[in-house]
Amino acid sequence: MTEIWPGDPYPLGATYDGAGTNFALFSEAGERVELCLFDDRDHETRVAFTECDGYIWHGYLPGVGPGQRYGHRVHGPYDPARGLRCNPAKLLIDPYAKAIEGDVRWSEAVYGYRFADPETRNDSDSAAYVPRSVVINPFFGWGHDRPPATPYHDTVIYEAHVRGLTIDHPKIPERIRGTYAALGHPEIVDHLSALGVTAIELMPVHQFVTDHVLVERGLTNYWGYNTIGFFAPHNAYSSTGQRGGQVLEFKAMVRALHEAGIEVILDVVYNHTAEGSHLGPTLSMRGIDNPDYYRLVDDDQRYYMDTTGTGNSLLMRSPQVLQLIMDSLRYWVTEMHVDGFRFDLAATLARELHEVDRLSAFFDLVQQDPVLSQVKLIAEPWDVGPGGYQVGNFPGRWTEWNGRYRDVIRDLWRGQPAALPEFGSRLTGSSDLYQDDSRRPAASINFVTCHDGFTLQDLVSYDHKHNEANGEDNRDGTDDNRSWNCGVEGPATGAVEVLRERQKRNLLTTLFVSQGVPMLLHGDELGRTQHGNNNAYCQDNEISWVDWSDIEENRLLLDFTKRLARLRRDHPVFRRRRFFYGRPVRGSHDGLSDIAWLTPAGEEMTDADWNVGYARSLAVFLNGDSITEPDRRGRRISDDSFLLLFNAHHETITFTIPKDYGDLWVTEIDTAAPILIEPRPSQAGEGVPVEGRSVRVLRRV
């Protein structure tokens, strides 16, 4: 018989102390809880908890240490109409498991009901088909690891997938491709550093599950937005064969990236779990305490409120859910040393009942937390529920994926009318969205592409989605792509290819000269294509992977992207800490405004100029003579001044250099020329031709 001592109700989960392991699990619904231990032959030993304090069942097992596999069985009422789904036949993953071994093997046994009769409880044992929780050793030699703590306004984010970025890299040892170790390999670190990346934003790395329906179609949940373990690094991204090895490998990856000055931001999914709707499997929280973890329909608690489009939503007014999320976030910062989080469908986190409330309990908890309030917090500010589009409405310390930036930048370069006024707002940091609540330009995470939708190459190559490989008859994915194929759908050569390359440079240039925080999608700098698939969530193959063999073919684009990153890094006028004032700069010798909007003729824009629906061209003067805010050491910053000449019209337009803004200007960027041949300087009053659908960036000398 396995010896069990009373142990402690806190911390939750499995905690190894060098002599044994304390186990603790919350369950108010449970009437009896068993800890299930598995040996190397997968033989199960059950130990009943004898202690329960405040609905936390706990016990200490001396001699049990790292590598021990375990799960829980919860005895209690099974009454779906009242939201109760306890079933001791189901082996349950510990919500606080720090590592998880294996994956779900889909069988009727993992469901709490019979397929033939969903009202009947399924008493088939699920142990043979579900993952095991694993006890870990928390020690790791971090050495002198310190967070880079890059200020937001100096940040350049690179959104990446652990497997997709590294699986095809020929210079990374084959045995570690597609893993955390590959992400920390010098080849990847050097590539990111050369791009000027200061933070890598990883698509979900919490342990996730591939849905039953995808397995039946021979596909996988590649993106990973289907979490089942909020503390455990996804085990399939580990190159080690050791139990719990994914934890050590993840930490080593973070340490390597930190050494290069690159922060690690996690895309996290705290709005729902992999247990899905009322017809989903019983893997963890559903069987532990269904009504305390999930939002149920009030008048029939068989069913789940779903504001995520995934079948369920976590109950954000539940103290247990809030504690789970906060404990998870703090764990990833304090123990795994990550530097911030991007919250998937963050509007759902604000829903205590039905309305989106920016002052909900979750945001209050984050705001007052001494650990979490100091890291980067990024919201995907929408969900699928009523009132779910909340761009600009998150609390003061939060930044947001700016979907309105993405849309208007795409619209301008694909030639949509009446785009100029909003383009001006987005280019300068979206003060209309963020200034009223004292936020700054860095509150806007600017992006043109992300994992969800077309890649940059596909954005200029396809008018319509081509998602046939997903097996949903091309019904999935958005139809609102705001893309333009430049005249030919799909691959093309000749003049169409030349135009597409220019359009990519236009979009990237706009991104890097905009105020706010630029975010690149992995592989965009290499011309990565998904062949028109705008919803590759289930494609763990060449459709989604970065093709590193194309690096020489796309050398011009890669070098151009690096040049843009250097321009932004070297010139703080492109990464201001505060919004423009639209008036003369204090301390400026020439009395010029910090920003000026000019027509191609070099004259200041009037209201009539802004409201010409067909206008697609303008010049922007950025005054770097004396940026209004000091740097982090309190020193006043001076920079060069720039003229940005945007021509989204299809024909060449000659821009007149305004006479009152400087005498001599040199071209730093010309998207019509991937390799810039040093042109002669341009003088005030002189005409500068800007080719159709191109940008020129001029610096005052």
Side-chain angles (χ1 to χ4, degrees), residues 341-576:
F341 305 94
R342 179 266 189 188
F343 292 82
D344 177 63
L345 301 179
T348 295
L349 300 175
R351 293 181 186 273
E352 293 190 347
L353 292 171
H354 298 282
E355 303 302 323
V356 176
D357 176 8
R358 59 177 290 174
L359 298 178
S360 71
F362 171 72
F363 296 113
D364 290 343
L365 287 172
V366 171
Q367 182 73 18
Q368 61 79 42
D369 189 275
V371 173
L372 301 180
S373 61
Q374 303 305 308
V375 302
K376 287 183 168 64
L377 302 169
I378 304 171
E380 181 188 30
W382 48 78
D383 65 14
V384 300
Y389 193 79
Q390 292 290 313
V391 173
N393 288 335
F394 277 74
R397 291 194 58 84
W398 287 67
T399 62
E400 302 175 19
W401 271 27
N402 191 342
R404 291 178 63 176
Y405 177 94
R406 171 200 59 204
D407 293 346
V408 76
I409 302 306
R410 291 184 178 191
D411 280 350
L412 179 78
W413 287 113
R414 70 189 178 114
Q416 288 296 103
L420 276 189
E422 188 170 2
F423 173 77
S425 294
R426 304 300 153 241
L427 182 75
T428 53
S430 297
S431 60
D432 57 323
L433 299 178
Y434 305 116
Q435 191 171 29
D436 285 348
D437 54 9
S438 79
R439 285 192 281 177
R440 295 184 174 184
S444 178
I445 305 298
N446 298 329
F447 65 103
V448 176
T449 57
C450 65
H451 70 273
D452 189 2
F454 282 151
T455 65
L456 185 63
Q457 177 67 41
D458 291 354
L459 189 65
V460 300
S461 303
Y462 295 91
D463 280 354
H464 309 287
K465 65 186 180 184
H466 297 269
N467 298 354
E468 290 80 8
N470 296 356
E472 300 177 44
D473 297 324
N474 207 35
R475 295 190 303 269
D476 63 302
T478 183
D479 293 311
D480 184 21
N481 295 295
R482 302 187 185 223
S483 59
W484 178 47
N485 65 16
C486 299
V488 176
E489 188 78 352
T493 57
V496 172
E497 183 180 22
V498 171
L499 176 56
R500 287 176 178 177
E501 291 302 311
R502 183 181 300 179
Q503 285 286 77
K504 288 191 287 185
R505 293 191 292 270
N506 290 336
L507 291 161
L508 288 170
T509 299
T510 306
L511 178 66
F512 275 92
V513 300
S514 295
Q515 305 298 321
V517 178
M519 184 181 78
L520 278 173
L521 171 63
H522 76 182
D524 273 356
E525 74 279 11
L526 301 174
R528 183 173 76 90
T529 178
Q530 293 180 166
H531 309 292
N533 192 320
N534 74 352
N535 189 35
Y537 75 101
C538 55
Q539 300 295 333
D540 186 6
N541 50 49
E542 289 83 357
I543 290 176
S544 290
W545 300 341
V546 174
D547 185 357
W548 292 92
S549 68
D550 284 345
I551 195 166
E552 288 307 320
E553 182 180 339
N554 290 279
R555 175 63 63 182
L556 290 178
L557 180 62
L558 176 59
D559 289 345
F560 185 83
T561 308
K562 291 178 181 178
R563 187 146 50 95
L564 287 171
R566 287 194 300 270
L567 180 73
R568 184 181 181 87
R569 179 197 64 198
D570 294 343
H571 294 286
V573 73
F574 296 118
R575 43 185 175 83
R576 291 168 52 97

Side-chain angles (χ1 to χ4, degrees), residues 28-300:
E28 183 177 354
E31 296 169 350
R32 186 163 69 94
V33 176
E34 293 176 308
L35 172 67
C36 307
L37 305 175
F38 294 86
D39 63 19
D40 291 340
R41 294 176 296 174
D42 215 33
H43 175 75
E44 179 181 354
T45 300
R46 302 185 187 183
V47 182
F49 288 123
T50 59
E51 302 291 329
C52 181
D53 297 314
Y55 303 116
I56 297 176
W57 303 78
H58 57 90
Y60 180 91
L61 273 64
V64 168
Q68 175 64 60
R69 298 179 301 154
Y70 72 98
H72 295 289
R73 296 182 187 271
V74 176
H75 300 253
Y78 182 84
D79 186 356
R82 295 194 296 128
L84 300 169
R85 295 180 179 268
C86 297
N87 186 343
K90 309 306 167 190
L91 183 72
L92 304 173
I93 298 168
D94 182 356
Y96 278 74
K98 306 303 190 300
I100 293 172
E101 181 184 72
D103 200 356
V104 177
R105 294 171 52 217
W106 290 106
S107 160
E108 185 177 8
V110 304
Y111 294 84
Y113 60 91
R114 290 290 180 188
F115 287 172
D117 182 8
E119 298 299 317
T120 302
R121 192 176 85 166
N122 181 0
D123 290 328
S124 299
D125 197 309
S126 69
Y129 305 98
V130 296
R132 310 288 189 250
S133 306
V134 179
V135 178
I136 68 161
N137 187 339
F139 176 77
F140 179 76
W142 282 106
H144 298 291
D145 181 71
R146 295 181 61 188
T150 306
Y152 260 124
H153 64 279
D154 292 335
T155 297
V156 176
I157 297 175
Y158 189 82
E159 189 194 24
H161 188 282
V162 172
R163 180 170 167 83
L165 179 62
T166 64
I167 190 65
D168 255 357
H169 200 299
K171 294 184 179 179
I172 293 177
E174 191 170 351
R175 65 179 181 81
I176 67 168
R177 292 178 192 170
T179 69
Y180 305 119
L183 204 59
H185 190 276
E187 287 289 335
I188 298 296
V189 175
D190 290 349
H191 179 77
L192 297 175
S193 297
L195 278 174
V197 170
T198 69
I200 186 167
E201 183 178 301
L202 297 179
M203 291 177 65
V205 297
H206 289 175
Q207 187 69 40
F208 61 84
V209 172
T210 290
D211 321 60
H212 195 170
V213 64
L214 290 178
V215 172
E216 290 180 330
R217 296 208 306 259
L219 300 170
T220 185
N221 193 316
Y222 171 71
W223 284 355
Y225 293 94
N226 205 33
T227 305
I228 199 61
F230 293 111
F231 293 77
H234 189 58
N235 54 36
Y237 297 157
S238 175
S239 64
T240 76
Q242 302 174 351
R243 288 177 191 156
Q246 62 266 42
V247 178
L248 299 178
E249 189 171 337
F250 184 93
K251 291 178 177 179
M253 174 202 75
V254 172
R255 185 176 59 190
L257 289 164
H258 280 183
E259 287 175 356
I262 298 172
E263 295 181 299
V264 178
I265 297 172
L266 302 188
D267 191 340
V268 290
V269 187
Y270 291 112
N271 48 68
H272 73 279
T273 77
E275 292 186 295
S277 71
H278 64 290
L279 297 177
T282 298
L283 302 174
S284 182
M285 289 179 262
R286 171 171 286 146
I288 293 170
D289 199 318
N290 190 56
D292 263 310
Y293 279 112
Y294 293 112
R295 291 186 64 194
L296 306 178
V297 175
D298 290 336
D299 55 0
D300 192 343

